[in-house]
Amino acid sequence: METETILNLRQQLKEAENERRKAAQYGLHLLESQNEIQNQLDQVRRELTENTEVKL
């Protein structure tokens, strides 16, 4: 009975670790996407500022 309980707990732990790893990878992906979007926004702002200054 104890062996079965230990095996069950080990399986649950393994599943929890896998879920935590997936969540961390997803969070990292979101952070990278956010940084890329921020860089694109900064580039567009620079271009708009340059275009506005040229027209003035």
Side-chain angles (χ1 to χ4, degrees):
M1 193 59 119
E2 283 186 37
T3 302
E4 185 177 327
T5 302
I6 291 171
L7 291 175
N8 188 18
L9 289 172
R10 284 183 180 166
Q11 182 62 30
Q12 289 177 9
L13 178 59
K14 185 177 180 180
E15 290 173 7
E17 288 173 344
N18 286 337
E19 290 298 318
R20 189 174 59 212
R21 187 175 295 112
K22 286 179 189 178
Q25 289 172 343
Y26 182 69
L28 180 59
H29 176 72
L30 287 176
L31 184 58
E32 290 170 348
S33 295
Q34 180 182 9
N35 286 336
E36 184 177 325
I37 291 169
Q38 184 64 51
N39 290 338
Q40 291 172 355
L41 176 61
D42 292 343
Q43 179 64 32
V44 169
R45 283 183 177 157
R46 282 191 296 274
E47 291 172 3
L48 285 173
T49 300
E50 290 172 5
N51 288 339
T52 302
E53 290 173 352
V54 168
K55 290 181 180 179
L56 293 177

Coordinates of all heavy atoms in Angstrom, one line a residue:
M1 N 0.8 -1.2 0.0 CA 0.0 0.0 0.0 C 0.9 1.3 0.0 O 0.6 2.2 -0.7 CB -0.9 0.0 1.2 CG -2.0 1.0 1.1 SD -3.1 0.8 -0.3 CE -4.6 0.6 0.4
E2 N 1.9 1.3 0.8 CA 2.8 2.4 0.9 C 3.5 2.7 -0.4 O 3.7 3.8 -0.9 CB 3.8 2.3 2.0 CG 3.3 2.6 3.4 CD 4.3 2.6 4.4 OE1 5.5 3.0 4.2 OE2 4.1 2.1 5.5
T3 N 3.9 1.6 -1.1 CA 4.6 1.7 -2.4 C 3.7 2.3 -3.4 O 4.1 3.2 -4.2 CB 5.1 0.3 -2.8 OG1 5.9 -0.3 -1.9 CG2 5.8 0.4 -4.1
E4 N 2.5 1.9 -3.4 CA 1.5 2.5 -4.3 C 1.3 4.0 -4.1 O 1.3 4.8 -5.0 CB 0.2 1.8 -4.3 CG -0.9 2.3 -5.3 CD -2.2 1.5 -5.2 OE1 -2.1 0.3 -4.8 OE2 -3.2 2.1 -5.5
T5 N 1.2 4.4 -2.8 CA 1.1 5.8 -2.4 C 2.3 6.6 -2.9 O 2.2 7.7 -3.4 CB 0.9 5.9 -0.9 OG1 -0.3 5.1 -0.5 CG2 0.7 7.3 -0.5
I6 N 3.5 6.0 -2.6 CA 4.7 6.7 -3.0 C 4.8 6.9 -4.5 O 5.1 8.0 -5.0 CB 5.9 5.9 -2.5 CG1 6.0 6.0 -1.0 CG2 7.2 6.5 -3.1 CD1 7.0 5.2 -0.3
L7 N 4.4 5.8 -5.3 CA 4.4 5.9 -6.7 C 3.4 7.0 -7.2 O 3.7 7.8 -8.1 CB 4.1 4.6 -7.4 CG 5.2 3.5 -7.2 CD1 4.7 2.2 -7.8 CD2 6.5 3.9 -7.9
N8 N 2.3 7.0 -6.6 CA 1.3 8.0 -6.9 C 1.8 9.4 -6.7 O 1.6 10.3 -7.5 CB 0.0 7.7 -6.2 CG -1.2 8.6 -6.6 OD1 -1.1 9.1 -7.7 ND2 -2.2 8.6 -5.8
L9 N 2.4 9.6 -5.5 CA 2.9 10.9 -5.2 C 4.0 11.4 -6.1 O 4.1 12.5 -6.5 CB 3.4 10.9 -3.7 CG 2.3 10.9 -2.7 CD1 2.9 10.7 -1.3 CD2 1.4 12.1 -2.7
R10 N 4.9 10.4 -6.5 CA 6.0 10.7 -7.4 C 5.4 11.2 -8.8 O 5.9 12.1 -9.4 CB 6.9 9.5 -7.6 CG 7.8 9.3 -6.4 CD 8.8 8.2 -6.7 NE 9.7 8.0 -5.6 CZ 10.4 6.9 -5.4 NH1 10.4 5.9 -6.2 NH2 11.2 6.9 -4.3
Q11 N 4.3 10.5 -9.2 CA 3.7 10.8 -10.5 C 3.1 12.2 -10.4 O 3.2 13.0 -11.3 CB 2.6 9.8 -10.9 CG 2.0 10.0 -12.2 CD 2.9 10.0 -13.4 OE1 3.9 9.3 -13.4 NE2 2.6 10.8 -14.4
Q12 N 2.4 12.5 -9.3 CA 1.8 13.8 -9.1 C 2.9 14.9 -9.1 O 2.7 16.0 -9.7 CB 1.0 13.8 -7.8 CG -0.3 13.0 -7.9 CD -1.0 13.1 -6.6 OE1 -0.7 13.8 -5.6 NE2 -2.0 12.2 -6.4
L13 N 4.0 14.6 -8.5 CA 5.1 15.6 -8.4 C 5.7 15.8 -9.8 O 5.9 17.0 -10.2 CB 6.2 15.1 -7.5 CG 7.4 16.0 -7.4 CD1 7.1 17.4 -6.9 CD2 8.5 15.3 -6.5
K14 N 5.8 14.8 -10.6 CA 6.4 14.9 -11.9 C 5.4 15.7 -12.8 O 5.9 16.6 -13.5 CB 6.5 13.5 -12.5 CG 7.2 13.5 -13.9 CD 7.4 12.1 -14.4 CE 8.0 12.0 -15.7 NZ 8.2 10.7 -16.2
E15 N 4.1 15.5 -12.7 CA 3.1 16.2 -13.4 C 3.1 17.7 -13.0 O 3.1 18.6 -13.9 CB 1.7 15.6 -13.2 CG 1.6 14.3 -13.9 CD 0.3 13.6 -13.6 OE1 -0.6 14.2 -12.9 OE2 0.1 12.4 -14.0
A16 N 3.2 18.0 -11.7 CA 3.3 19.3 -11.3 C 4.5 20.1 -11.8 O 4.5 21.2 -12.2 CB 3.2 19.4 -9.7
E17 N 5.7 19.4 -11.8 CA 6.9 20.0 -12.3 C 6.8 20.3 -13.8 O 7.2 21.3 -14.2 CB 8.1 19.0 -12.0 CG 8.5 19.0 -10.6 CD 9.5 17.9 -10.3 OE1 9.8 17.0 -11.1 OE2 10.1 18.0 -9.2
N18 N 6.2 19.4 -14.5 CA 6.0 19.6 -15.9 C 5.1 20.8 -16.2 O 5.4 21.6 -17.1 CB 5.4 18.3 -16.6 CG 6.5 17.2 -16.8 OD1 7.7 17.5 -16.8 ND2 6.0 16.0 -16.9
E19 N 4.0 20.9 -15.4 CA 3.1 22.0 -15.6 C 3.8 23.3 -15.2 O 3.6 24.3 -15.9 CB 1.9 21.8 -14.7 CG 0.9 20.7 -15.2 CD 0.4 21.0 -16.6 OE1 0.0 22.1 -16.9 OE2 0.4 20.0 -17.4
R20 N 4.6 23.3 -14.2 CA 5.3 24.5 -13.8 C 6.3 24.9 -14.9 O 6.5 26.1 -15.2 CB 6.0 24.3 -12.5 CG 6.6 25.6 -11.9 CD 7.2 25.4 -10.5 NE 8.2 24.4 -10.5 CZ 8.5 23.6 -9.5 NH1 7.8 23.6 -8.4 NH2 9.4 22.7 -9.6
R21 N 7.0 23.9 -15.5 CA 8.0 24.2 -16.5 C 7.2 24.8 -17.8 O 7.7 25.8 -18.4 CB 8.7 22.9 -16.9 CG 9.8 23.1 -17.9 CD 10.6 21.8 -18.2 NE 11.3 21.4 -17.0 CZ 10.9 20.2 -16.3 NH1 10.0 19.5 -16.8 NH2 11.6 19.9 -15.3
K22 N 6.1 24.2 -18.1 CA 5.3 24.8 -19.2 C 4.9 26.2 -19.0 O 4.9 27.1 -19.9 CB 4.1 23.9 -19.5 CG 4.4 22.6 -20.2 CD 3.1 21.8 -20.4 CE 3.3 20.4 -20.8 NZ 2.1 19.6 -20.9
A23 N 4.5 26.5 -17.8 CA 4.0 27.8 -17.4 C 5.2 28.8 -17.5 O 5.0 29.9 -18.0 CB 3.4 27.8 -16.0
A24 N 6.4 28.4 -17.0 CA 7.5 29.2 -17.1 C 7.9 29.5 -18.6 O 8.3 30.7 -18.9 CB 8.7 28.6 -16.4
Q25 N 7.9 28.5 -19.4 CA 8.2 28.7 -20.8 C 7.2 29.6 -21.5 O 7.6 30.5 -22.3 CB 8.2 27.3 -21.5 CG 9.4 26.5 -21.2 CD 9.3 25.1 -21.7 OE1 8.2 24.6 -22.2 NE2 10.4 24.4 -21.8
Y26 N 5.9 29.5 -21.1 CA 4.9 30.4 -21.7 C 5.1 31.8 -21.2 O 5.0 32.7 -22.0 CB 3.5 29.9 -21.2 CG 2.4 30.7 -21.8 CD1 2.1 30.6 -23.2 CD2 1.6 31.5 -21.0 CE1 1.0 31.4 -23.7 CE2 0.5 32.2 -21.5 CZ 0.3 32.2 -22.8 OH -0.8 32.9 -23.3
G27 N 5.4 32.0 -19.9 CA 5.7 33.3 -19.4 C 6.9 33.9 -20.1 O 6.9 35.1 -20.4
L28 N 7.9 33.2 -20.4 CA 9.1 33.7 -21.1 C 8.7 34.1 -22.5 O 9.2 35.1 -23.0 CB 10.2 32.6 -21.1 CG 11.5 33.0 -21.8 CD1 12.1 34.2 -21.1 CD2 12.5 31.8 -21.8
H29 N 7.9 33.3 -23.1 CA 7.5 33.6 -24.5 C 6.7 34.9 -24.5 O 6.9 35.8 -25.4 CB 6.6 32.5 -25.0 CG 6.1 32.7 -26.4 ND1 6.8 32.8 -27.5 CD2 4.8 33.0 -26.8 CE1 6.0 33.1 -28.6 NE2 4.8 33.2 -28.1
L30 N 5.8 35.1 -23.5 CA 5.0 36.3 -23.4 C 5.9 37.5 -23.2 O 5.7 38.6 -23.8 CB 4.0 36.2 -22.3 CG 2.8 35.3 -22.5 CD1 1.9 35.3 -21.3 CD2 2.0 35.8 -23.7
L31 N 6.9 37.4 -22.4 CA 7.9 38.5 -22.1 C 8.6 38.8 -23.4 O 8.8 40.0 -23.7 CB 8.8 38.1 -21.0 CG 9.8 39.1 -20.5 CD1 9.1 40.4 -20.0 CD2 10.7 38.6 -19.4
E32 N 9.1 37.8 -24.1 CA 9.8 38.1 -25.3 C 8.9 38.8 -26.4 O 9.4 39.7 -27.0 CB 10.4 36.8 -25.9 CG 11.5 36.2 -25.1 CD 11.9 34.8 -25.5 OE1 11.2 34.2 -26.3 OE2 13.0 34.3 -25.0
S33 N 7.7 38.3 -26.4 CA 6.7 39.0 -27.4 C 6.5 40.4 -27.0 O 6.4 41.3 -27.8 CB 5.4 38.2 -27.4 OG 5.6 36.9 -27.9
Q34 N 6.3 40.7 -25.7 CA 6.1 42.0 -25.2 C 7.3 42.9 -25.6 O 7.1 44.1 -26.0 CB 5.9 42.0 -23.7 CG 5.6 43.4 -23.2 CD 5.4 43.4 -21.6 OE1 5.6 42.4 -21.0 NE2 5.1 44.5 -21.1
N35 N 8.5 42.4 -25.4 CA 9.7 43.2 -25.7 C 9.8 43.5 -27.2 O 10.1 44.6 -27.6 CB 11.0 42.4 -25.3 CG 11.2 42.5 -23.8 OD1 10.7 43.3 -23.1 ND2 11.9 41.5 -23.3
E36 N 9.4 42.5 -28.0 CA 9.4 42.7 -29.5 C 8.4 43.8 -29.9 O 8.7 44.7 -30.7 CB 9.1 41.4 -30.2 CG 9.2 41.5 -31.7 CD 9.0 40.2 -32.4 OE1 9.4 39.1 -31.8 OE2 8.3 40.2 -33.4
I37 N 7.2 43.7 -29.3 CA 6.2 44.7 -29.6 C 6.6 46.1 -29.1 O 6.4 47.1 -29.8 CB 4.8 44.3 -29.0 CG1 4.3 43.1 -29.7 CG2 3.8 45.4 -29.0 CD1 3.1 42.4 -29.0
Q38 N 7.2 46.2 -27.9 CA 7.7 47.5 -27.4 C 8.8 48.0 -28.4 O 8.7 49.2 -28.6 CB 8.3 47.3 -26.0 CG 8.7 48.6 -25.4 CD 7.5 49.6 -25.2 OE1 6.5 49.2 -24.6 NE2 7.7 50.8 -25.6
N39 N 9.7 47.2 -28.9 CA 10.7 47.7 -29.8 C 10.0 48.2 -31.1 O 10.5 49.2 -31.6 CB 11.7 46.6 -30.1 CG 12.6 46.2 -28.9 OD1 12.7 47.1 -28.0 ND2 13.1 45.0 -28.9
Q40 N 9.0 47.5 -31.6 CA 8.3 48.0 -32.8 C 7.6 49.3 -32.5 O 7.7 50.2 -33.4 CB 7.3 46.9 -33.2 CG 7.9 45.7 -33.8 CD 6.9 44.6 -34.1 OE1 5.7 44.7 -33.8 NE2 7.4 43.5 -34.6
L41 N 7.0 49.4 -31.4 CA 6.3 50.7 -31.0 C 7.3 51.8 -30.9 O 7.1 52.9 -31.4 CB 5.6 50.5 -29.7 CG 4.9 51.8 -29.1 CD1 3.9 52.3 -30.1 CD2 4.3 51.5 -27.7
D42 N 8.5 51.6 -30.3 CA 9.5 52.6 -30.2 C 10.0 53.0 -31.6 O 10.2 54.2 -31.8 CB 10.7 52.1 -29.4 CG 10.4 51.9 -27.9 OD1 9.3 52.5 -27.5 OD2 11.1 51.2 -27.2
Q43 N 10.1 52.1 -32.5 CA 10.6 52.4 -33.9 C 9.5 53.2 -34.6 O 9.9 54.2 -35.2 CB 10.8 51.1 -34.7 CG 11.3 51.3 -36.1 CD 12.6 52.0 -36.2 OE1 13.5 51.9 -35.4 NE2 12.7 52.8 -37.2
V44 N 8.3 52.9 -34.5 CA 7.2 53.7 -35.1 C 7.2 55.1 -34.5 O 7.0 56.1 -35.3 CB 5.9 53.0 -34.9 CG1 4.7 53.9 -35.3 CG2 5.8 51.7 -35.8
R45 N 7.4 55.2 -33.2 CA 7.4 56.6 -32.6 C 8.5 57.4 -33.1 O 8.4 58.6 -33.4 CB 7.5 56.4 -31.1 CG 6.2 56.1 -30.4 CD 6.4 56.1 -28.9 NE 5.1 55.8 -28.3 CZ 5.0 55.2 -27.0 NH1 6.1 55.0 -26.3 NH2 3.9 55.0 -26.5
R46 N 9.7 56.8 -33.3 CA 10.8 57.5 -33.8 C 10.6 58.0 -35.3 O 10.8 59.1 -35.6 CB 12.1 56.6 -33.8 CG 12.8 56.5 -32.5 CD 14.1 55.9 -32.5 NE 14.1 54.5 -33.0 CZ 13.9 53.5 -32.2 NH1 13.7 53.6 -30.9 NH2 13.9 52.2 -32.7
E47 N 10.0 57.1 -36.1 CA 9.7 57.4 -37.4 C 8.6 58.6 -37.5 O 8.8 59.5 -38.3 CB 9.2 56.2 -38.2 CG 10.3 55.2 -38.4 CD 9.7 53.9 -39.0 OE1 8.5 53.8 -39.3 OE2 10.5 52.9 -39.2
L48 N 7.6 58.5 -36.7 CA 6.6 59.5 -36.6 C 7.2 60.9 -36.2 O 6.9 61.9 -36.8 CB 5.4 59.1 -35.7 CG 4.5 58.1 -36.3 CD1 3.5 57.7 -35.2 CD2 3.7 58.6 -37.5
T49 N 8.0 60.8 -35.2 CA 8.7 62.0 -34.7 C 9.5 62.6 -35.8 O 9.5 63.9 -36.1 CB 9.6 61.8 -33.5 OG1 8.7 61.2 -32.5 CG2 10.2 63.0 -33.0
E50 N 10.3 61.8 -36.5 CA 11.1 62.3 -37.6 C 10.3 62.9 -38.7 O 10.6 64.0 -39.3 CB 12.0 61.2 -38.2 CG 13.1 60.7 -37.2 CD 13.8 59.5 -37.7 OE1 13.5 59.0 -38.8 OE2 14.7 58.9 -37.0
N51 N 9.2 62.2 -39.1 CA 8.3 62.7 -40.2 C 7.7 64.0 -39.8 O 7.5 64.9 -40.6 CB 7.3 61.7 -40.5 CG 7.8 60.5 -41.3 OD1 8.9 60.6 -41.9 ND2 7.1 59.4 -41.2
T52 N 7.3 64.1 -38.5 CA 6.7 65.4 -38.0 C 7.6 66.5 -38.0 O 7.3 67.6 -38.5 CB 6.1 65.2 -36.6 OG1 5.2 64.1 -36.6 CG2 5.4 66.4 -36.1
E53 N 8.9 66.3 -37.6 CA 9.9 67.3 -37.6 C 10.3 67.8 -39.0 O 10.5 69.0 -39.2 CB 11.1 66.8 -36.9 CG 10.9 66.6 -35.4 CD 12.1 66.0 -34.7 OE1 13.0 65.5 -35.4 OE2 12.1 65.9 -33.4
V54 N 10.3 66.9 -40.0 CA 10.6 67.2 -41.4 C 9.5 68.1 -41.9 O 9.8 69.1 -42.6 CB 10.8 65.9 -42.2 CG1 10.8 66.3 -43.7 CG2 12.0 65.2 -41.8
K55 N 8.3 67.9 -41.6 CA 7.2 68.6 -42.2 C 7.1 70.0 -41.5 O 6.5 70.9 -42.1 CB 5.9 67.9 -42.0 CG 5.7 66.7 -42.8 CD 4.4 65.9 -42.6 CE 4.4 64.7 -43.5 NZ 3.1 64.0 -43.3
L56 N 7.6 70.2 -40.3 CA 7.6 71.5 -39.7 C 8.7 72.3 -40.2 O 8.7 73.4 -40.5 CB 7.7 71.3 -38.2 CG 6.6 70.6 -37.4 CD1 6.9 70.5 -36.0 CD2 5.3 71.4 -37.6

